[in-house]
Amino acid sequence: MSSCETCVVRNRAICSGLDNKEITALNSMGRRRSVSAGEPLIWEDDDSLLVANVIDGVLKLVTSTEDGREQIVGVAYPSDFIGRPFGQTSRASVVALTDARVCVFARNDFDRFAREHPELEHKLLERTLSELDRTRSWMMLLGRKTAPEKIATFLLEMSERLAETGCQPSFGPARRFSLPFSRQQVADVLGLTIETVSRQFTKLKNDGVIELPSRREVEIVNRGALLALAG
Amino acid sequence: MSSCETCVVRNRAICSGLDNKEITALNSMGRRRSVSAGEPLIWEDDDSLLVANVIDGVLKLVTSTEDGREQIVGVAYPSDFIGRPFGQTSRASVVALTDARVCVFARNDFDRFAREHPELEHKLLERTLSELDRTRSWMMLLGRKTAPEKIATFLLEMSERLAETGCQPSFGPARRFSLPFSRQQVADVLGLTIETVSRQFTKLKNDGVIELPSRREVEIVNRGALLALAG
DNA sequence: TCCCCACCTTGACGCAAGTCAAAAACGGGC
DNA sequence: GCCCGTTTTTGACTTGCGTCAAGGTGGGGA
């Protein structure tokens, strides 16, 4: 594992706030790992029992029914924490959407270290509370919003989330971005089918609300219209 | 505020693990409050900024759109923690479903106390992680399950959650229980309409899977069938 | 450069769940 | 025990989204 000192998420991930000695200790417990797009990091009901920080790339958290239906229940971006410390084994698989680099720890090691470092547990708590907030607003979307509302909300969220990681150091949401999702994956986030997603994208393009320069690229032409549609 | 020593959730809520001195300090910051069924404790985007422990009763966490659609995004039972410490104001209202008693704290006071007591923060972290797990499995339900699957899953979850609080000290899920939800509220939990909920209940009754002795009472006659339907 | 294959789009059609409307059943209060 | 308002159930009809089935299309590899 290369040194945390050069880590790009050192000051944003839960490791921020640890002093050099602590970072060294944590460093010695973990290791870096690369995951290619499409490759799983954790299987549903896995017993490999690991947790991780995302350094680079985007990963999906997904649950599936026996008959193959999938629902993406979370998306992890750089500096996000992955896995289920303390007790339970995670009920969701983690799969890389893009090529990604993560910093992984055995869950037991991490649990012990965390319990000895309240500052780290506090960071993890704040993160978990935020994730719970985000997840709850996604429940509203899944349970009560129509397909057009879902798509508009999704595009707005993407333009905000991807701006933080984006190349340009500009503030505010990105006007143009590259989706880390295929159409099927967008469907799995929104609780729709791929056909419905495709039709809604086409409709927004025809209405002049967005441009679709390529399969993965999106440009928001009329943000006001999207906001109105998102409800 | 009556003493924590007699509190029925003293050993289950996040206060468990605090010693007598700490409990006394926490005690002096909070106060007990009764909330009648239907009465709100926290408004959406509230600035009253409070957090609470549930002592008794059941409360719903709900978000709504401008045009009046509602989605219940969480349910709080005795010993559960309510509210959003550290920073953000909560995006959801909290409303009592049954008459309830809670132990409330000003958020600032609670935040300060929590940061000084890692054991309490740890308890809160474990609770928040569990709630996130539960919320994520509910996303799968909202996004990918059919109405019959949703109803079956809901009834099974109710029979487990309400068993813990139930009068009889029996173990395992309750065979018969009293729903803390109206039909409309069941619909708001499952992302359905009241009519669909009613029709599915009637169908399960006609199929001999459940009995409905009164509006709020449910008796599970054939748990196996429910498990199969839940998917 | 071109070919291939996975991914995406488009169209026709069906159905699960929503909507609208009215009747029925409950249960709290007198 | 009997009202009366509220909640629930039931029925008839509609519709948004899913399903099924053909085409397109773009980008990576030979």
Side-chain angles (χ1 to χ4, degrees), chain A residues 164-195:
Chain A
E164 297 157 21
T165 333
C167 305
Q168 70 276 38
S170 68
F171 291 88
R175 177 186 159 83
R176 181 178 174 149
F177 50 89
S178 180
L179 284 177
F181 301 100
S182 68
R183 291 287 185 274
Q184 180 60 59
Q185 285 159 351
V186 175
D188 290 341
V189 171
L190 299 176
L192 297 170
T193 59
I194 184 175
E195 294 93 334

PDB file of all heavy atoms in Angstrom, chain A residues 164-195:
ATOM      1  N   GLU A 164     -18.414  17.496  -8.226  1.00  0.00           N
ATOM      2  CA  GLU A 164     -17.394  17.452  -7.174  1.00  0.00           C
ATOM      3  C   GLU A 164     -16.137  16.736  -7.645  1.00  0.00           C
ATOM      4  O   GLU A 164     -15.025  17.120  -7.330  1.00  0.00           O
ATOM      5  CB  GLU A 164     -17.966  16.729  -5.942  1.00  0.00           C
ATOM      6  CG  GLU A 164     -19.147  17.460  -5.323  1.00  0.00           C
ATOM      7  CD  GLU A 164     -20.048  16.536  -4.501  1.00  0.00           C
ATOM      8  OE1 GLU A 164     -19.572  15.476  -4.098  1.00  0.00           O
ATOM      9  OE2 GLU A 164     -21.221  16.897  -4.292  1.00  0.00           O
ATOM     10  N   THR A 165     -16.343  15.670  -8.415  1.00  0.00           N
ATOM     11  CA  THR A 165     -15.233  14.866  -8.894  1.00  0.00           C
ATOM     12  C   THR A 165     -14.665  15.425 -10.205  1.00  0.00           C
ATOM     13  O   THR A 165     -13.587  15.039 -10.628  1.00  0.00           O
ATOM     14  CB  THR A 165     -15.711  13.419  -9.156  1.00  0.00           C
ATOM     15  OG1 THR A 165     -16.814  13.157  -8.323  1.00  0.00           O
ATOM     16  CG2 THR A 165     -14.595  12.426  -8.908  1.00  0.00           C
ATOM     17  N   GLY A 166     -15.415  16.295 -10.841  1.00  0.00           N
ATOM     18  CA  GLY A 166     -15.120  16.727 -12.206  1.00  0.00           C
ATOM     19  C   GLY A 166     -13.758  17.369 -12.359  1.00  0.00           C
ATOM     20  O   GLY A 166     -13.131  17.814 -11.398  1.00  0.00           O
ATOM     21  N   CYS A 167     -13.308  17.441 -13.590  1.00  0.00           N
ATOM     22  CA  CYS A 167     -12.008  18.002 -13.904  1.00  0.00           C
ATOM     23  C   CYS A 167     -11.995  19.500 -13.623  1.00  0.00           C
ATOM     24  O   CYS A 167     -11.128  20.017 -12.936  1.00  0.00           O
ATOM     25  CB  CYS A 167     -11.664  17.763 -15.378  1.00  0.00           C
ATOM     26  SG  CYS A 167     -11.749  16.024 -15.835  1.00  0.00           S
ATOM     27  N   GLN A 168     -12.972  20.178 -14.175  1.00  0.00           N
ATOM     28  CA  GLN A 168     -13.007  21.619 -14.009  1.00  0.00           C
ATOM     29  C   GLN A 168     -13.249  21.962 -12.538  1.00  0.00           C
ATOM     30  O   GLN A 168     -14.067  21.333 -11.880  1.00  0.00           O
ATOM     31  CB  GLN A 168     -14.085  22.255 -14.900  1.00  0.00           C
ATOM     32  CG  GLN A 168     -15.535  21.975 -14.494  1.00  0.00           C
ATOM     33  CD  GLN A 168     -16.045  20.643 -15.027  1.00  0.00           C
ATOM     34  OE1 GLN A 168     -15.327  19.658 -15.075  1.00  0.00           O
ATOM     35  NE2 GLN A 168     -17.308  20.617 -15.398  1.00  0.00           N
ATOM     36  N   PRO A 169     -12.496  22.936 -12.023  1.00  0.00           N
ATOM     37  CA  PRO A 169     -12.630  23.300 -10.615  1.00  0.00           C
ATOM     38  C   PRO A 169     -13.806  24.259 -10.383  1.00  0.00           C
ATOM     39  O   PRO A 169     -13.865  24.935  -9.379  1.00  0.00           O
ATOM     40  CB  PRO A 169     -11.290  23.992 -10.321  1.00  0.00           C
ATOM     41  CG  PRO A 169     -10.903  24.599 -11.636  1.00  0.00           C
ATOM     42  CD  PRO A 169     -11.522  23.761 -12.722  1.00  0.00           C
ATOM     43  N   SER A 170     -14.720  24.294 -11.334  1.00  0.00           N
ATOM     44  CA  SER A 170     -15.848  25.218 -11.231  1.00  0.00           C
ATOM     45  C   SER A 170     -16.756  24.807 -10.087  1.00  0.00           C
ATOM     46  O   SER A 170     -16.836  23.661  -9.702  1.00  0.00           O
ATOM     47  CB  SER A 170     -16.649  25.209 -12.530  1.00  0.00           C
ATOM     48  OG  SER A 170     -17.278  23.966 -12.688  1.00  0.00           O
ATOM     49  N   PHE A 171     -17.476  25.764  -9.533  1.00  0.00           N
ATOM     50  CA  PHE A 171     -18.409  25.480  -8.458  1.00  0.00           C
ATOM     51  C   PHE A 171     -19.793  25.197  -9.040  1.00  0.00           C
ATOM     52  O   PHE A 171     -20.041  25.406 -10.216  1.00  0.00           O
ATOM     53  CB  PHE A 171     -18.459  26.681  -7.497  1.00  0.00           C
ATOM     54  CG  PHE A 171     -17.175  26.834  -6.730  1.00  0.00           C
ATOM     55  CD1 PHE A 171     -16.129  27.586  -7.248  1.00  0.00           C
ATOM     56  CD2 PHE A 171     -17.005  26.208  -5.506  1.00  0.00           C
ATOM     57  CE1 PHE A 171     -14.938  27.712  -6.553  1.00  0.00           C
ATOM     58  CE2 PHE A 171     -15.824  26.335  -4.804  1.00  0.00           C
ATOM     59  CZ  PHE A 171     -14.788  27.088  -5.335  1.00  0.00           C
ATOM     60  N   GLY A 172     -20.659  24.695  -8.201  1.00  0.00           N
ATOM     61  CA  GLY A 172     -22.022  24.426  -8.628  1.00  0.00           C
ATOM     62  C   GLY A 172     -22.108  23.167  -9.450  1.00  0.00           C
ATOM     63  O   GLY A 172     -21.104  22.514  -9.727  1.00  0.00           O
ATOM     64  N   PRO A 173     -23.337  22.812  -9.818  1.00  0.00           N
ATOM     65  CA  PRO A 173     -23.568  21.569 -10.564  1.00  0.00           C
ATOM     66  C   PRO A 173     -22.964  21.618 -11.964  1.00  0.00           C
ATOM     67  O   PRO A 173     -22.849  22.692 -12.561  1.00  0.00           O
ATOM     68  CB  PRO A 173     -25.091  21.497 -10.634  1.00  0.00           C
ATOM     69  CG  PRO A 173     -25.567  22.893 -10.427  1.00  0.00           C
ATOM     70  CD  PRO A 173     -24.565  23.556  -9.551  1.00  0.00           C
ATOM     71  N   ALA A 174     -22.600  20.441 -12.469  1.00  0.00           N
ATOM     72  CA  ALA A 174     -22.010  20.359 -13.804  1.00  0.00           C
ATOM     73  C   ALA A 174     -23.094  20.513 -14.868  1.00  0.00           C
ATOM     74  O   ALA A 174     -24.189  19.970 -14.729  1.00  0.00           O
ATOM     75  CB  ALA A 174     -21.305  19.022 -13.977  1.00  0.00           C
ATOM     76  N   ARG A 175     -22.784  21.256 -15.923  1.00  0.00           N
ATOM     77  CA  ARG A 175     -23.722  21.413 -17.027  1.00  0.00           C
ATOM     78  C   ARG A 175     -23.637  20.200 -17.953  1.00  0.00           C
ATOM     79  O   ARG A 175     -24.630  19.758 -18.515  1.00  0.00           O
ATOM     80  CB  ARG A 175     -23.363  22.695 -17.787  1.00  0.00           C
ATOM     81  CG  ARG A 175     -24.209  22.964 -19.015  1.00  0.00           C
ATOM     82  CD  ARG A 175     -23.662  24.192 -19.764  1.00  0.00           C
ATOM     83  NE  ARG A 175     -24.111  24.193 -21.151  1.00  0.00           N
ATOM     84  CZ  ARG A 175     -25.297  24.649 -21.552  1.00  0.00           C
ATOM     85  NH1 ARG A 175     -26.139  25.135 -20.667  1.00  0.00           N
ATOM     86  NH2 ARG A 175     -25.637  24.602 -22.821  1.00  0.00           N
ATOM     87  N   ARG A 176     -22.423  19.701 -18.070  1.00  0.00           N
ATOM     88  CA  ARG A 176     -22.205  18.538 -18.918  1.00  0.00           C
ATOM     89  C   ARG A 176     -21.394  17.496 -18.166  1.00  0.00           C
ATOM     90  O   ARG A 176     -20.450  17.845 -17.453  1.00  0.00           O
ATOM     91  CB  ARG A 176     -21.437  18.968 -20.179  1.00  0.00           C
ATOM     92  CG  ARG A 176     -21.194  17.826 -21.127  1.00  0.00           C
ATOM     93  CD  ARG A 176     -20.477  18.318 -22.375  1.00  0.00           C
ATOM     94  NE  ARG A 176     -20.128  17.158 -23.186  1.00  0.00           N
ATOM     95  CZ  ARG A 176     -20.057  17.190 -24.514  1.00  0.00           C
ATOM     96  NH1 ARG A 176     -20.266  18.306 -25.160  1.00  0.00           N
ATOM     97  NH2 ARG A 176     -19.746  16.097 -25.179  1.00  0.00           N
ATOM     98  N   PHE A 177     -21.759  16.237 -18.287  1.00  0.00           N
ATOM     99  CA  PHE A 177     -21.046  15.204 -17.540  1.00  0.00           C
ATOM    100  C   PHE A 177     -21.177  13.863 -18.244  1.00  0.00           C
ATOM    101  O   PHE A 177     -21.991  13.692 -19.162  1.00  0.00           O
ATOM    102  CB  PHE A 177     -21.583  15.106 -16.114  1.00  0.00           C
ATOM    103  CG  PHE A 177     -23.084  14.995 -16.030  1.00  0.00           C
ATOM    104  CD1 PHE A 177     -23.697  13.760 -16.062  1.00  0.00           C
ATOM    105  CD2 PHE A 177     -23.873  16.140 -15.938  1.00  0.00           C
ATOM    106  CE1 PHE A 177     -25.078  13.652 -15.993  1.00  0.00           C
ATOM    107  CE2 PHE A 177     -25.258  16.035 -15.875  1.00  0.00           C
ATOM    108  CZ  PHE A 177     -25.869  14.797 -15.902  1.00  0.00           C
ATOM    109  N   SER A 178     -20.361  12.937 -17.784  1.00  0.00           N
ATOM    110  CA  SER A 178     -20.342  11.595 -18.346  1.00  0.00           C
ATOM    111  C   SER A 178     -20.932  10.633 -17.317  1.00  0.00           C
ATOM    112  O   SER A 178     -20.391  10.469 -16.223  1.00  0.00           O
ATOM    113  CB  SER A 178     -18.892  11.221 -18.662  1.00  0.00           C
ATOM    114  OG  SER A 178     -18.837   9.931 -19.214  1.00  0.00           O
ATOM    115  N   LEU A 179     -22.044  10.014 -17.657  1.00  0.00           N
ATOM    116  CA  LEU A 179     -22.723   9.106 -16.733  1.00  0.00           C
ATOM    117  C   LEU A 179     -21.863   7.879 -16.442  1.00  0.00           C
ATOM    118  O   LEU A 179     -21.376   7.244 -17.374  1.00  0.00           O
ATOM    119  CB  LEU A 179     -24.043   8.617 -17.335  1.00  0.00           C
ATOM    120  CG  LEU A 179     -25.232   9.556 -17.363  1.00  0.00           C
ATOM    121  CD1 LEU A 179     -26.401   8.871 -18.069  1.00  0.00           C
ATOM    122  CD2 LEU A 179     -25.633   9.955 -15.964  1.00  0.00           C
ATOM    123  N   PRO A 180     -21.713   7.515 -15.170  1.00  0.00           N
ATOM    124  CA  PRO A 180     -21.037   6.242 -14.880  1.00  0.00           C
ATOM    125  C   PRO A 180     -21.974   5.040 -15.022  1.00  0.00           C
ATOM    126  O   PRO A 180     -21.590   3.926 -14.718  1.00  0.00           O
ATOM    127  CB  PRO A 180     -20.574   6.421 -13.428  1.00  0.00           C
ATOM    128  CG  PRO A 180     -21.498   7.424 -12.845  1.00  0.00           C
ATOM    129  CD  PRO A 180     -21.990   8.285 -13.967  1.00  0.00           C
ATOM    130  N   PHE A 181     -23.205   5.279 -15.493  1.00  0.00           N
ATOM    131  CA  PHE A 181     -24.218   4.223 -15.600  1.00  0.00           C
ATOM    132  C   PHE A 181     -24.592   3.917 -17.044  1.00  0.00           C
ATOM    133  O   PHE A 181     -24.695   4.826 -17.872  1.00  0.00           O
ATOM    134  CB  PHE A 181     -25.515   4.655 -14.912  1.00  0.00           C
ATOM    135  CG  PHE A 181     -25.376   4.986 -13.465  1.00  0.00           C
ATOM    136  CD1 PHE A 181     -25.290   6.298 -13.053  1.00  0.00           C
ATOM    137  CD2 PHE A 181     -25.357   3.992 -12.509  1.00  0.00           C
ATOM    138  CE1 PHE A 181     -25.175   6.616 -11.711  1.00  0.00           C
ATOM    139  CE2 PHE A 181     -25.247   4.298 -11.163  1.00  0.00           C
ATOM    140  CZ  PHE A 181     -25.155   5.622 -10.766  1.00  0.00           C
ATOM    141  N   SER A 182     -24.840   2.636 -17.325  1.00  0.00           N
ATOM    142  CA  SER A 182     -25.499   2.260 -18.576  1.00  0.00           C
ATOM    143  C   SER A 182     -26.991   2.558 -18.418  1.00  0.00           C
ATOM    144  O   SER A 182     -27.467   2.828 -17.312  1.00  0.00           O
ATOM    145  CB  SER A 182     -25.301   0.777 -18.852  1.00  0.00           C
ATOM    146  OG  SER A 182     -26.014   0.006 -17.901  1.00  0.00           O
ATOM    147  N   ARG A 183     -27.753   2.467 -19.494  1.00  0.00           N
ATOM    148  CA  ARG A 183     -29.201   2.689 -19.408  1.00  0.00           C
ATOM    149  C   ARG A 183     -29.853   1.699 -18.443  1.00  0.00           C
ATOM    150  O   ARG A 183     -30.738   2.049 -17.671  1.00  0.00           O
ATOM    151  CB  ARG A 183     -29.840   2.558 -20.788  1.00  0.00           C
ATOM    152  CG  ARG A 183     -29.476   3.661 -21.761  1.00  0.00           C
ATOM    153  CD  ARG A 183     -30.145   4.972 -21.427  1.00  0.00           C
ATOM    154  NE  ARG A 183     -29.861   5.986 -22.445  1.00  0.00           N
ATOM    155  CZ  ARG A 183     -28.779   6.761 -22.446  1.00  0.00           C
ATOM    156  NH1 ARG A 183     -27.871   6.661 -21.473  1.00  0.00           N
ATOM    157  NH2 ARG A 183     -28.588   7.637 -23.410  1.00  0.00           N
ATOM    158  N   GLN A 184     -29.397   0.448 -18.505  1.00  0.00           N
ATOM    159  CA  GLN A 184     -29.962  -0.565 -17.603  1.00  0.00           C
ATOM    160  C   GLN A 184     -29.678  -0.203 -16.151  1.00  0.00           C
ATOM    161  O   GLN A 184     -30.527  -0.382 -15.278  1.00  0.00           O
ATOM    162  CB  GLN A 184     -29.365  -1.947 -17.911  1.00  0.00           C
ATOM    163  CG  GLN A 184     -29.907  -3.058 -17.014  1.00  0.00           C
ATOM    164  CD  GLN A 184     -31.418  -3.234 -17.121  1.00  0.00           C
ATOM    165  OE1 GLN A 184     -31.941  -3.494 -18.188  1.00  0.00           O
ATOM    166  NE2 GLN A 184     -32.141  -3.045 -16.010  1.00  0.00           N
ATOM    167  N   GLN A 185     -28.495   0.336 -15.889  1.00  0.00           N
ATOM    168  CA  GLN A 185     -28.158   0.702 -14.515  1.00  0.00           C
ATOM    169  C   GLN A 185     -28.950   1.918 -14.045  1.00  0.00           C
ATOM    170  O   GLN A 185     -29.343   1.994 -12.876  1.00  0.00           O
ATOM    171  CB  GLN A 185     -26.647   0.939 -14.388  1.00  0.00           C
ATOM    172  CG  GLN A 185     -25.864  -0.371 -14.396  1.00  0.00           C
ATOM    173  CD  GLN A 185     -24.417  -0.218 -14.783  1.00  0.00           C
ATOM    174  OE1 GLN A 185     -23.986   0.847 -15.223  1.00  0.00           O
ATOM    175  NE2 GLN A 185     -23.656  -1.298 -14.636  1.00  0.00           N
ATOM    176  N   VAL A 186     -29.207   2.852 -14.948  1.00  0.00           N
ATOM    177  CA  VAL A 186     -30.077   3.974 -14.590  1.00  0.00           C
ATOM    178  C   VAL A 186     -31.456   3.425 -14.196  1.00  0.00           C
ATOM    179  O   VAL A 186     -32.033   3.820 -13.182  1.00  0.00           O
ATOM    180  CB  VAL A 186     -30.226   4.973 -15.755  1.00  0.00           C
ATOM    181  CG1 VAL A 186     -31.234   6.073 -15.413  1.00  0.00           C
ATOM    182  CG2 VAL A 186     -28.886   5.587 -16.105  1.00  0.00           C
ATOM    183  N   ALA A 187     -31.930   2.464 -14.976  1.00  0.00           N
ATOM    184  CA  ALA A 187     -33.211   1.823 -14.662  1.00  0.00           C
ATOM    185  C   ALA A 187     -33.169   1.172 -13.279  1.00  0.00           C
ATOM    186  O   ALA A 187     -34.127   1.277 -12.507  1.00  0.00           O
ATOM    187  CB  ALA A 187     -33.554   0.785 -15.728  1.00  0.00           C
ATOM    188  N   ASP A 188     -32.041   0.530 -12.950  1.00  0.00           N
ATOM    189  CA  ASP A 188     -31.910  -0.151 -11.658  1.00  0.00           C
ATOM    190  C   ASP A 188     -31.813   0.820 -10.489  1.00  0.00           C
ATOM    191  O   ASP A 188     -32.079   0.469  -9.347  1.00  0.00           O
ATOM    192  CB  ASP A 188     -30.689  -1.073 -11.655  1.00  0.00           C
ATOM    193  CG  ASP A 188     -30.874  -2.288 -12.554  1.00  0.00           C
ATOM    194  OD1 ASP A 188     -32.031  -2.605 -12.888  1.00  0.00           O
ATOM    195  OD2 ASP A 188     -29.868  -2.917 -12.934  1.00  0.00           O
ATOM    196  N   VAL A 189     -31.388   2.042 -10.756  1.00  0.00           N
ATOM    197  CA  VAL A 189     -31.365   3.062  -9.704  1.00  0.00           C
ATOM    198  C   VAL A 189     -32.782   3.580  -9.461  1.00  0.00           C
ATOM    199  O   VAL A 189     -33.179   3.811  -8.324  1.00  0.00           O
ATOM    200  CB  VAL A 189     -30.459   4.251 -10.100  1.00  0.00           C
ATOM    201  CG1 VAL A 189     -30.617   5.406  -9.117  1.00  0.00           C
ATOM    202  CG2 VAL A 189     -29.004   3.825 -10.166  1.00  0.00           C
ATOM    203  N   LEU A 190     -33.542   3.743 -10.543  1.00  0.00           N
ATOM    204  CA  LEU A 190     -34.817   4.453 -10.461  1.00  0.00           C
ATOM    205  C   LEU A 190     -36.026   3.537 -10.315  1.00  0.00           C
ATOM    206  O   LEU A 190     -37.156   4.017 -10.174  1.00  0.00           O
ATOM    207  CB  LEU A 190     -34.993   5.335 -11.703  1.00  0.00           C
ATOM    208  CG  LEU A 190     -33.930   6.427 -11.892  1.00  0.00           C
ATOM    209  CD1 LEU A 190     -34.162   7.171 -13.196  1.00  0.00           C
ATOM    210  CD2 LEU A 190     -33.948   7.399 -10.721  1.00  0.00           C
ATOM    211  N   GLY A 191     -35.810   2.230 -10.339  1.00  0.00           N
ATOM    212  CA  GLY A 191     -36.956   1.319 -10.269  1.00  0.00           C
ATOM    213  C   GLY A 191     -37.809   1.389 -11.520  1.00  0.00           C
ATOM    214  O   GLY A 191     -39.032   1.387 -11.452  1.00  0.00           O
ATOM    215  N   LEU A 192     -37.144   1.462 -12.690  1.00  0.00           N
ATOM    216  CA  LEU A 192     -37.855   1.503 -13.977  1.00  0.00           C
ATOM    217  C   LEU A 192     -37.299   0.398 -14.867  1.00  0.00           C
ATOM    218  O   LEU A 192     -36.433  -0.364 -14.449  1.00  0.00           O
ATOM    219  CB  LEU A 192     -37.637   2.866 -14.655  1.00  0.00           C
ATOM    220  CG  LEU A 192     -38.165   4.109 -13.940  1.00  0.00           C
ATOM    221  CD1 LEU A 192     -37.664   5.378 -14.621  1.00  0.00           C
ATOM    222  CD2 LEU A 192     -39.697   4.089 -13.905  1.00  0.00           C
ATOM    223  N   THR A 193     -37.806   0.305 -16.107  1.00  0.00           N
ATOM    224  CA  THR A 193     -37.207  -0.596 -17.083  1.00  0.00           C
ATOM    225  C   THR A 193     -36.320   0.215 -18.022  1.00  0.00           C
ATOM    226  O   THR A 193     -36.469   1.432 -18.139  1.00  0.00           O
ATOM    227  CB  THR A 193     -38.276  -1.299 -17.940  1.00  0.00           C
ATOM    228  OG1 THR A 193     -39.039  -0.295 -18.606  1.00  0.00           O
ATOM    229  CG2 THR A 193     -39.179  -2.154 -17.089  1.00  0.00           C
ATOM    230  N   ILE A 194     -35.426  -0.487 -18.697  1.00  0.00           N
ATOM    231  CA  ILE A 194     -34.510   0.175 -19.619  1.00  0.00           C
ATOM    232  C   ILE A 194     -35.270   0.910 -20.730  1.00  0.00           C
ATOM    233  O   ILE A 194     -34.882   2.008 -21.135  1.00  0.00           O
ATOM    234  CB  ILE A 194     -33.515  -0.861 -20.201  1.00  0.00           C
ATOM    235  CG1 ILE A 194     -32.476  -0.184 -21.094  1.00  0.00           C
ATOM    236  CG2 ILE A 194     -34.228  -1.981 -20.937  1.00  0.00           C
ATOM    237  CD1 ILE A 194     -31.410  -1.129 -21.599  1.00  0.00           C
ATOM    238  N   GLU A 195     -36.368   0.326 -21.179  1.00  0.00           N
ATOM    239  CA  GLU A 195     -37.149   0.967 -22.245  1.00  0.00           C
ATOM    240  C   GLU A 195     -37.742   2.303 -21.794  1.00  0.00           C
ATOM    241  O   GLU A 195     -37.707   3.294 -22.524  1.00  0.00           O
ATOM    242  CB  GLU A 195     -38.276   0.050 -22.718  1.00  0.00           C
ATOM    243  CG  GLU A 195     -37.825  -1.226 -23.410  1.00  0.00           C
ATOM    244  CD  GLU A 195     -37.707  -2.402 -22.457  1.00  0.00           C
ATOM    245  OE1 GLU A 195     -37.489  -2.172 -21.241  1.00  0.00           O
ATOM    246  OE2 GLU A 195     -37.837  -3.552 -22.915  1.00  0.00           O
TER     247      GLU A 195
END
